[in-house]
């Protein structure tokens, strides 16, 4: 029965064109409180106080004192003067300019202080109950990331915050990209919790960033956890997400997961990419089926565009030089010696078959021989 099942799976793959808290708004708060009367040097509060005991931040928010950027300070004073003395709404250009000039954490502190005062003024004097437009909110989050004020940036993802910021997935992407740049899985987890708590819909672009962070940090369990969440939410994963997910599964040597991901991919996409195709090649080698792996490479050679096809030699070389060692690192010590021998044998058989079929497979086998020893 297992032989029949394996034959059916290979047949199915080959039939496809290519194989296989306190800062929430309150109706009781004064419209223009003493906060608007303070001098910029007195702005010291941080968002850690906002949520009581339920904190979702990577690190605590310090009451950072320092000299704000001159341009930010001047714009803050002018807008505060307009609100408190002139009793008029400041020009939008001032706020945009302030956002663009924020460079440090204390600049962002002033920005959020003026946002709160502007929201109060809009509510009390102009009877505008709506949040600021989404584009402005995204730029605020972007400024927070640029200034390193991630604590403030996360506030922009909360519903009903006192700053008039409308949460969006686009704002979350700025924070996730910061987490990606710094390989910060803790921040990733916090952002994903905030998205869920504030009912922000997941998007294909979100999956791209999340999967990339998990791959870069070797967080296999985490990528599977979030992948299930994306699939359950009905998110249509992009080719790039499947590339990352399947390559990760092949690197881990997890064939059971690999074929489940491949089934999910094939349900929504007709053709493989170079990355997903070679991930399946690796899965077949792990199952000791070098001839089936050759069939996949042959179909890839026939269906990929010339631009993509040019990458096949590099993929073959990495399969020989890097992949076996990556797989062995994730296996138990007692499995390694047997697996190392079988991979070497089957990769050599695959390469010889490719040469016999006339496919260009001019690759170096030196690393395969040099890494015959099992990593300790």
């Amino acid at each position: 029965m297992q032989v029949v099942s394996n034959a059916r799976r290979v047949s199915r793959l080959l039939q496809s064109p290519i194989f296989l808290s306190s800062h929430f708004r309150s109706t009781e708060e004064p419209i223009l409180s003493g906060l608007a009367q303070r001098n910029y040097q007195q702005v010291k509060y941080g968002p850690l106080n906002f949520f009581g005991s339920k904190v979702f931040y990577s690190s605590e928010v310090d009451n950072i004192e320092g000299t704000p950027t001159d341009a930010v300070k001047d714009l803050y004073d002018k807008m505060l003067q307009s609100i408190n003395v002139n009793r008029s709404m400041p020009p939008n250009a001032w706020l945009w300019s302030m956002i663009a000039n924020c460079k440090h954490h204390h600049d962002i502190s002033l920005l959020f202080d003026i946002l709160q005062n502007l929201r109060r003024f809009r509510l009390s004097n102009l009877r505008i109950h709506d949040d600021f437009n989404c584009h402005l909110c995204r730029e605020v989050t972007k400024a927070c990331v640029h200034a390193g004020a991630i604590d403030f940036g996360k506030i922009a993802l909360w519903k009903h915050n006192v700053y008039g910021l409308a949460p969006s997935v686009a704002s979350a992407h700025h924070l996730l990209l910061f987490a990606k740049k710094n390989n910060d899985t803790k921040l990733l987890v916090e952002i994903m919790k905030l998205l869920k708590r504030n009912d922000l819909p997941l998007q294909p672009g979100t999956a791209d960033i999340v999967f990339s962070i998990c791959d870069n940090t070797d967080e296999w369990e985490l990528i599977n956890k979030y992948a299930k969440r994306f699939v359950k939410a009905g998110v249509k994963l992009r080719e790039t997400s499947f590339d990352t997910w399947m390559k990760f599964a092949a690197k881990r040597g997890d064939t059971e997961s690999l074929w489940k991901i491949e089934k999910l991919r094939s349900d929504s996409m007709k053709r493989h990419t170079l990355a997903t195709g070679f991930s399946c090649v690796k899965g077949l080698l792990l199952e000791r089926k070098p001839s089936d792996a050759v069939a996949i490479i042959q179909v890839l050679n026939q269906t990929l565009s010339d631009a993509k096809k040019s990458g096949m030699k590099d993929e073959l070389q990495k399969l020989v030089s890097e992949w076996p060692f990556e797989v062995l690192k994730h296996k138990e010590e007692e499995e390694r010696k047997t697996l190392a021998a079988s991979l070497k044998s089957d990769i050599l058989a695959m390469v010889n078959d490719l040469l016999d079929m006339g496919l260009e497979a001019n690759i170096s086998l030196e690393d395969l021989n040099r890494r015959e020893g099992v990593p300790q």
Side-chain angles (χ1 to χ4, degrees):
M1 290 300 292
Q2 185 176 3
V3 173
V4 173
S5 176
N6 290 336
R8 286 176 178 171
R9 184 177 65 213
V10 172
S11 175
R12 175 179 63 79
L13 293 172
L14 288 171
Q15 284 174 358
S16 68
I18 144 131
F19 164 62
L20 324 245
S21 74
S22 64
H23 266 164
F24 293 158
R25 296 180 183 174
S26 170
T27 56
E28 297 179 359
E29 67 178 331
I31 298 303
L32 278 172
S33 70
L35 180 64
Q37 310 296 332
R38 292 183 298 171
N39 182 275
Y40 71 92
Q41 292 177 334
Q42 295 174 297
V43 180
K44 297 182 180 180
Y45 62 82
L48 184 64
N49 300 324
F50 299 178
F51 308 109
S53 60
K54 294 186 178 180
V55 180
F56 293 90
Y57 301 133
S58 292
S59 59
E60 293 188 359
V61 179
D62 296 324
N63 290 329
I64 297 179
E65 295 190 51
T67 303
T69 304
D70 288 342
V72 171
K73 167 187 171 296
D74 291 343
L75 288 164
Y76 174 83
D77 289 341
K78 287 167 64 177
M79 283 190 280
L80 215 54
Q81 172 82 6
S82 178
I83 293 171
N84 294 337
V85 179
N86 301 335
R87 307 296 293 172
S88 64
M89 191 69 180
N92 288 337
W94 290 0
L95 180 57
W96 283 104
S97 181
M98 186 176 184
I99 294 171
N101 280 282
C102 285
K103 294 181 175 61
H104 309 291
H105 197 287
H106 31 271
D107 293 336
I108 298 297
S109 295
L110 291 184
L111 173 62
F112 271 70
D113 185 66
I114 205 65
L115 284 172
Q116 184 174 9
N117 282 280
L118 288 172
R119 188 194 73 81
R120 286 170 170 158
F121 187 82
R122 279 157 54 98
L123 180 63
S124 63
N125 289 50
L126 306 179
R127 298 295 186 267
I128 298 176
H129 295 263
D130 296 336
D131 288 328
F132 294 108
N133 68 66
C134 292
H135 180 53
L136 183 141
C137 300
R138 289 196 298 270
E139 289 302 308
V140 168
T141 310
K142 184 178 178 180
C144 291
V145 172
H146 178 70
I150 304 304
D151 46 351
F152 280 102
K154 286 181 282 191
I155 296 172
L157 302 185
W158 279 93
K159 295 186 295 185
H160 313 304
N161 59 78
V162 299
Y163 304 100
L165 297 174
S168 69
V169 174
S171 294
H173 285 179
H174 287 299
L175 295 166
L176 286 172
L177 287 170
F178 178 86
K180 177 181 176 180
K181 180 180 178 181
N182 294 277
N183 289 327
D184 190 343
T185 54
K186 187 175 181 181
L187 178 58
L188 163 64
V189 172
E190 292 168 354
I191 299 305
M192 293 300 287
K193 286 181 179 179
L194 287 171
L195 289 176
K196 183 175 183 179
R197 173 164 289 217
N198 292 281
D199 302 317
L200 293 175
L202 299 173
Q203 296 180 356
T206 318
D208 270 352
I209 304 172
V210 170
F211 284 19
S212 181
I213 296 171
C214 293
D215 182 38
N216 293 341
T217 55
D218 201 29
E219 290 285 352
W220 176 240
E221 297 300 327
L222 200 59
I223 194 174
N224 286 318
K225 172 185 174 181
Y226 288 134
K228 291 178 182 177
R229 183 170 157 187
F230 282 108
V231 172
K232 185 177 180 180
V235 177
K236 185 176 181 181
L237 298 178
R238 296 172 178 170
E239 286 185 343
T240 45
S241 292
F242 280 113
D243 285 352
T244 302
W245 197 8
M246 291 183 68
K247 283 170 64 179
F248 201 168
K251 181 172 65 176
R252 300 277 304 192
D254 188 340
T255 54
E256 181 180 357
S257 295
L258 177 62
W259 299 130
K260 287 180 180 178
I261 302 168
E262 161 57 17
K263 175 62 169 61
L264 186 65
R265 185 210 62 80
S266 64
D267 288 342
S268 59
M269 300 175 186
K270 293 182 179 180
R271 296 191 177 190
H272 274 288
T273 64
L274 185 63
T276 59
F278 265 87
S279 295
C280 291
V281 168
K282 294 169 183 175
L284 291 168
L285 288 171
L286 287 166
E287 294 182 343
R288 307 223 60 184
K289 300 172 185 175
S291 59
D292 290 341
V294 169
I296 303 310
I297 295 175
Q298 189 176 25
V299 176
L300 282 171
N301 190 54
Q302 295 170 352
T303 57
L304 289 176
S305 66
D306 290 340
K308 298 293 184 182
K309 196 182 300 182
S310 63
M312 289 186 64
K313 180 180 176 181
D314 289 339
E315 286 296 325
L316 278 169
Q317 187 62 66
K318 286 189 288 186
L319 184 151
V320 172
S321 304
E322 301 173 10
W323 172 66
F325 190 67
E326 291 174 338
V327 173
L328 293 173
K329 286 194 301 184
H330 293 99
K331 296 299 180 181
E332 297 294 333
E333 187 173 351
E334 57 269 19
E335 296 181 73
R336 291 177 180 173
K337 190 167 292 187
T338 300
L339 181 58
S342 66
L343 285 177
K344 179 182 177 182
S345 173
D346 292 337
I347 289 174
L348 288 172
M350 180 191 73
V351 171
N352 288 330
D353 284 351
L354 289 173
L355 293 173
D356 291 341
M357 295 172 64
L359 293 178
E360 293 185 9
N362 185 22
I363 59 175
S364 171
L365 300 177
E366 292 181 3
D367 287 332
L368 185 63
N369 291 325
R370 184 164 58 247
R371 286 180 176 172
E372 183 177 4
V374 178
Q376 299 301 315

